[in-house]
Amino acid sequence: MISPLLANIYLNDLDHEMAASDWTMVRYADDFVILCRTMDEATRALADVQTWTAQAGLTLHPDKTRIVDLGTPGAWFDFLGYRFKRHDPPGGGMRILRLVRDKSLTRARDAIRTATPRASGEAMEDIVLHINAWARGWWAYFRSVHRSVHRSIHRALDGMIRRRLRSILSRRNGRVRWGCGDAHRIWPNTHFDGLGLFSLEQAHLAYLHSHRETR
């Protein structure tokens, strides 16, 4: 946990160097993006960073360091768990979508599996508490006003959580190979609502509703 603090201390001089050069840099610990208006500016900004890091005894990540032209259809870059991607709908009105990065989704699924082992001996109420702690943190970070982009992700993760919980209950009832249909009938979504299971999709819909009301 000390790594982000050390990065902030060590890269403080880079912040000032970029500000003095009139580059707009967004940085969190050792991850940063420099926003430029033209390709020439981007090239010069990268050169400035390369010069500074070389003098500081640091190296830029060879795969993560690149110049992205968001004027190109389909262009994208990853930053802090998100993928920022240019979107050109058929009716016009280009915009930059803030998507959940594939790697972030993989980590989410891994976290769900870790919290819901099929042979778990914990009380279901305790399992739900652990899942809720993770789910609320995920939603707080990845909530978005993009209805079509994020609702499907939240719905899919909700479904995975409930399937894992049904699998635990099925095993406890001696049904090792209980079909999903039977388990869903015996323990419908309302069963987990009654246990207080946090729903990512419902939280997202509530967030969208509150966002519309404040506009």
Side-chain angles (χ1 to χ4, degrees):
M1 295 301 293
I2 199 67
S3 179
L5 174 61
L6 294 177
N8 285 336
I9 295 173
Y10 204 81
L11 297 177
N12 181 63
D13 289 344
L14 176 62
D15 295 340
H16 291 289
E17 179 74 20
M18 294 295 100
S21 301
D22 290 328
W23 300 127
T24 300
M25 182 173 71
V26 181
R27 182 176 68 81
Y28 180 84
D30 60 348
D31 290 329
F32 58 87
V33 173
I34 300 176
L35 308 176
C36 303
R37 291 178 292 269
T38 66
M39 183 62 70
D40 179 65
E41 284 188 0
T43 302
R44 288 189 287 115
L46 177 57
D48 286 351
V49 172
Q50 289 171 329
T51 298
W52 186 90
T53 53
Q55 293 173 346
L58 302 173
T59 56
L60 297 174
H61 195 290
D63 298 325
K64 295 181 179 180
T65 305
R66 62 194 185 101
I67 294 176
V68 178
D69 180 7
L70 289 177
T72 303
W76 58 269
F77 66 92
D78 291 337
F79 187 52
L80 301 182
Y82 280 99
R83 173 159 294 183
F84 296 86
K85 185 175 182 179
R86 171 173 169 150
H87 177 59
D88 295 271
M94 185 278 291
R95 60 177 177 161
I96 305 299
L97 296 179
R98 190 179 63 183
L99 310 173
V100 178
R101 186 183 178 190
D102 289 344
K103 189 174 181 180
S104 299
L105 282 174
T106 298
R107 288 176 175 173
R109 296 185 186 105
D110 289 343
I112 292 171
R113 293 188 186 98
T114 299
T116 57
R118 197 158 185 268
S120 173
E122 282 191 283
M124 184 56 62
E125 291 79 4
D126 291 335
I127 297 174
V128 168
L129 284 176
H130 295 156
I131 281 289
N132 284 353
W134 170 84
R136 287 192 174 98
W138 163 274
W139 175 80
Y141 189 79
F142 286 107
R143 64 187 179 186
S144 170
V145 295
H146 296 313
R147 174 188 293 273
S148 60
V149 173
H150 283 228
R151 184 179 179 183
S152 60
I153 292 174
H154 295 319
R155 183 190 298 119
L157 291 177
D158 276 348
M160 178 181 179
I161 291 170
R162 288 191 292 263
R163 285 194 302 274
R164 300 280 302 181
L165 295 179
R166 289 187 183 105
S167 180
I168 294 172
L169 291 170
S170 295
R171 183 182 179 90
R172 289 178 181 178
N173 281 267
R175 302 299 295 268
V176 178
R177 295 186 177 277
W178 209 336
C180 293
D182 288 336
H184 190 282
R185 176 176 53 80
I186 296 172
W187 299 292
N189 294 354
T190 53
H191 174 80
F192 300 107
D193 293 340
L195 292 174
L197 181 65
F198 182 82
S199 169
L200 293 166
E201 182 181 11
Q202 292 304 315
H204 181 60
L205 291 175
Y207 177 69
L208 290 175
H209 181 71
S210 65
H211 182 77
R212 285 195 298 269
E213 288 185 342
T214 56
R215 293 183 64 178

